Amino acid sequence: MEVIERSFLSQDWITLLFLLCFILIGLMKLYKPQLLLGYTIAFFSQGFIEKRAEKNPSIFTPFHILLYLFNSIIVSITITVYFSKHREQNFLRFISLFAFIFVFLSTKLILNYFLAHIFDIEKKIRYFLFTKSGYQYTLSIWLLPILVFYQYWYSNVTMLLVFIALLLIFRVFLIIKNNKKLIFSNFFYFILYFCTLELAPLLIIYKTTKI
C-alpha cells in the first residue's frame, strides 16, 4: 500500500504541546478551580475582573505562573500552526518562537507596570491593566479547543483567522466598554498607548515570525 502523507502539521511534538496545555489547565483546576472558571467566562462576567482588580493579587502566585505559561504556549502554537501553511515547522523552531514570545510578553507586562509606577497612576489604571491581562487569558483558554479542532479535524486557515480576529475584536471591545471613562477622558494617550504597546507588538511578532 502507498503511504499517504498528511498535509497538515502532524509531528508528535505538536500533540505533546496540546497535552501540556491540558495538563496546565488540570493543574490550575486542582489548585484554584473557581479562579480558572472565572477566567474562562470572564468575557461575560465583568464582576470577576473587578474583584481581581480590587484584590490586586501578585502575578507570581503558582496559579498565575501556570496561567501565564499557558498563555505563552497558546500564542506560540497559534503562530506555529498558521505559518505551517507557508513553511515547514519543527520543534527547535517552536522553542525559539516560544522563548521569543515569552520574553516579549514578559517585557510588555513589566513595561506596563513600570510606566504606571513611574507616572504614579497605578491605582487609576489598575482595573484597565487587569481587564487587558484577564481578557487575554480568557482568549487563550478559548483558543485551545479551536486550535485542536483546526489541527486534527478541519484545517482551514481562513476559519482559524476569522475566529482569532473575532476574539481579538471582542477583547478590545470589552476593554473599551469597561474602561470608557478612563479611555475617553484620555483618548489621545489611549490611542498612543494602543499603537505603541498593543498594535506595534503584534506587527513585530508577525514580521519576526514571517522571516
Side-chain angles (χ1 to χ4, degrees):
M1 292 179 61
E2 183 181 356
V3 178
I4 299 176
E5 183 181 358
R6 287 186 286 182
S7 60
F8 56 85
L9 189 64
S10 58
Q11 292 91 339
D12 291 339
W13 58 267
I14 198 81
T15 300
L16 293 176
L17 287 174
F18 284 128
L19 179 60
L20 176 59
C21 288
F22 284 112
I23 289 174
L24 290 174
I25 287 181
L27 291 174
M28 286 186 282
K29 185 175 181 180
L30 286 174
Y31 186 67
K32 295 282 186 179
Q34 292 301 317
L35 205 52
L36 177 61
L37 176 62
Y39 278 110
T40 303
I41 62 174
F43 280 160
F44 306 105
S45 178
Q46 181 181 348
F48 171 77
I49 299 295
E50 290 177 347
K51 290 179 181 178
R52 299 305 293 166
E54 290 175 2
K55 291 182 179 180
N56 193 25
S58 170
I59 60 174
F60 298 106
T61 61
F63 179 89
H64 280 92
I65 291 175
L66 291 172
L67 188 58
Y68 189 80
L69 179 61
F70 173 84
N71 176 67
S72 300
I73 293 174
I74 289 295
V75 172
S76 302
I77 292 177
T78 303
I79 295 173
T80 297
V81 297
Y82 172 72
F83 281 104
S84 68
K85 292 295 181 181
H86 304 279
R87 67 186 182 191
E88 183 182 355
Q89 299 291 339
N90 56 60
F91 184 65
L92 291 179
R93 183 171 288 169
F94 173 83
I95 290 297
S96 300
L97 174 62
F98 172 75
F100 173 77
I101 294 295
F102 187 85
V103 172
F104 191 89
L105 293 179
S106 299
T107 302
K108 185 167 170 280
L109 178 66
I110 293 171
L111 186 60
N112 270 312
Y113 285 95
F114 177 75
L115 291 176
H117 178 74
I118 288 295
F119 292 105
D120 195 26
I121 55 175
E122 290 175 283
K123 292 184 178 179
K124 186 177 181 180
I125 67 171
R126 179 187 298 167
Y127 179 63
F128 173 72
L129 294 177
F130 268 88
T131 54
K132 259 174 29 72
S133 60
Y135 291 143
Q136 174 59 42
Y137 295 144
T138 303
L139 188 149
S140 294
I141 293 171
W142 283 35
L143 264 180
L144 178 56
I146 293 172
L147 290 171
V148 171
F149 182 83
Y150 170 83
Q151 179 67 26
Y152 300 109
W153 284 283
Y154 189 59
S155 299
N156 186 309
V157 70
T158 301
M159 180 203 72
L160 179 65
L161 292 177
V162 167
F163 273 116
I164 294 174
L166 288 175
L167 288 174
L168 287 173
I169 291 171
F170 193 43
R171 174 177 177 259
V172 172
F173 168 76
L174 289 176
I175 291 173
I176 295 175
K177 175 179 177 292
N178 294 331
N179 295 275
K180 53 182 178 292
K181 289 184 179 179
L182 174 65
I183 291 173
F184 289 113
S185 62
N186 303 274
F187 190 70
F188 172 77
Y189 297 103
F190 172 75
I191 294 298
L192 185 63
Y193 167 86
F194 183 79
C195 293
T196 305
L197 292 179
E198 292 294 327
L199 189 59
L202 290 175
L203 293 175
I204 291 173
I205 291 174
Y206 176 78
K207 291 294 184 180
T208 304
T209 52
K210 194 176 180 181
I211 295 175

